[in-house]
Amino acid sequence: MTERETLCQWVDKSQRMVFLGGAGVSTASGIPDFRSAHGLYQQKKQGLSYEEMLSHDYFIHHTAAFYDFLRNVMLYPDAKPNGAHYALAQLERAGKLRAVITQNIDGLHQMAGSKNVLELHGSENRYTCLSCGKTYDMACVTQTTGVPQCACGGTIRPDVVLYGEALNERELRRAIRYVEEADLLLVAGTSLVVYPVAGLVEYVQPGAKLVILNRDPTPYDRRADLVLREDLVEVLEAVAKRGTPSP
């Protein structure tokens, strides 16, 4: 039996499946990954690493440059969901998938139809005025130049977790609870090196299955019950086709 067939069987039997995904889930949508050998974070702009330019400190002290970087490098307003996003939404509708926990900020899971999505790193589609709290969508950045300003005159910031900031504690606790209750945790498209998200794998309970679907090795491969190095989209589409009834 192949690894893919084994995964399909485990999904068939699962009652509390949870998905944990990273940048690799969205690469087929034209959004570059971050931590592979050729990922965004291996590059530099103006002598600074991409991580430095996405930090809280850089946003505070170089706000205009931060937004220029966001517009030109990080935002993909025309990106559309790929087969992986649609497969996960299909599994959720069929009652096979309890939650999608994502490190991505692109909102493509929701666009594909997933309802229970935990965005641990926030969303590039939400922005908030630091003065009055008014909320905006991505157009406040993509359709302007310079630093986006609220009608009240306040500075607008993206609803994303910047380097040097803590994750939303409430969402992290929710994610931990889902993983603790899961009988199958499927981890895909993530290097599992960014904490505290990578640490969610530690909450898989005895008897539950841990499956890692990723192009490159991760620090948790030895702990996994199953590791797949196959095409992420193809595998998730096959799982959804097997795990959901025909219309």
Side-chain angles (χ1 to χ4, degrees):
M1 185 183 298
T2 66
E3 287 87 353
R4 189 182 300 191
E5 290 170 340
T6 298
L7 174 58
C8 287
Q9 283 197 1
W10 288 357
V11 172
D12 282 346
K13 297 176 181 178
S14 173
Q15 300 297 317
R16 300 180 306 281
M17 176 182 169
V18 173
F19 179 84
L20 171 61
V25 178
S26 293
T27 53
S29 296
I31 300 177
D33 70 344
F34 291 84
R35 297 186 180 277
S36 71
H38 304 288
L40 280 178
Y41 286 176
Q42 303 302 320
Q43 306 174 37
K44 290 195 173 185
K45 188 177 178 67
Q46 300 174 347
L48 297 174
S49 72
Y50 280 19
E51 290 190 17
E52 290 174 291
M53 299 185 76
L54 287 174
S55 69
H56 174 81
D57 184 73
Y58 196 79
F59 171 76
I60 295 298
H61 298 289
H62 306 279
T63 311
F66 170 90
Y67 269 111
D68 286 343
F69 174 72
L70 205 66
R71 290 185 183 94
N72 296 326
V73 178
M74 298 303 299
L75 298 184
Y76 293 83
D78 299 323
K80 303 297 182 186
N82 61 57
H85 298 106
Y86 286 115
L88 292 166
Q90 184 178 345
L91 287 166
E92 182 188 52
R93 286 194 299 272
K96 299 298 298 182
L97 180 63
R98 293 192 68 200
V100 169
I101 304 169
T102 182
Q103 296 171 273
N104 296 341
I105 61 174
D106 51 45
L108 296 183
H109 285 294
Q110 293 93 325
M111 196 181 299
S114 290
K115 302 299 182 184
N116 192 22
V117 181
L118 285 68
E119 295 176 309
L120 296 184
H121 290 164
S123 172
E124 66 184 20
N125 299 305
R126 296 190 301 267
Y127 298 78
T128 305
C129 173
L130 294 176
S131 296
C132 71
K134 183 176 179 180
T135 57
Y136 294 84
D137 60 21
M138 193 192 298
C140 77
V141 178
T142 58
Q143 297 180 12
T144 62
T145 58
V147 179
Q149 298 291 316
C150 178
C152 78
T155 298
I156 295 170
R157 71 151 283 167
D159 182 16
V160 298
V161 179
L162 302 176
Y163 285 93
E165 296 179 334
L167 268 62
N168 181 299
E169 192 65 30
R170 177 177 173 275
E171 284 297 273
L172 183 58
R173 286 197 300 268
R174 287 185 65 213
I176 290 172
R177 186 170 67 251
Y178 275 115
V179 173
E180 287 178 332
E181 295 174 353
D183 59 10
L184 168 60
L185 177 65
L186 173 55
V187 181
T190 174
S191 57
L192 289 176
V193 297
V194 178
Y195 287 82
V197 176
L200 289 172
V201 175
E202 303 282 356
Y203 291 92
V204 174
Q205 298 298 298
K209 301 291 188 183
L210 171 61
V211 178
I212 296 178
L213 167 59
N214 198 54
R215 181 185 61 191
D216 302 316
T218 82
Y220 286 94
D221 286 358
R222 289 187 177 182
R223 293 191 53 178
D225 298 286
L226 183 66
V227 176
L228 296 91
R229 297 270 181 260
E230 302 181 53
D231 181 271
L232 185 152
V233 174
E234 290 181 3
V235 171
L236 291 179
E237 287 180 332
V239 169
K241 183 177 181 180
R242 168 79 174 266
T244 57
S246 302

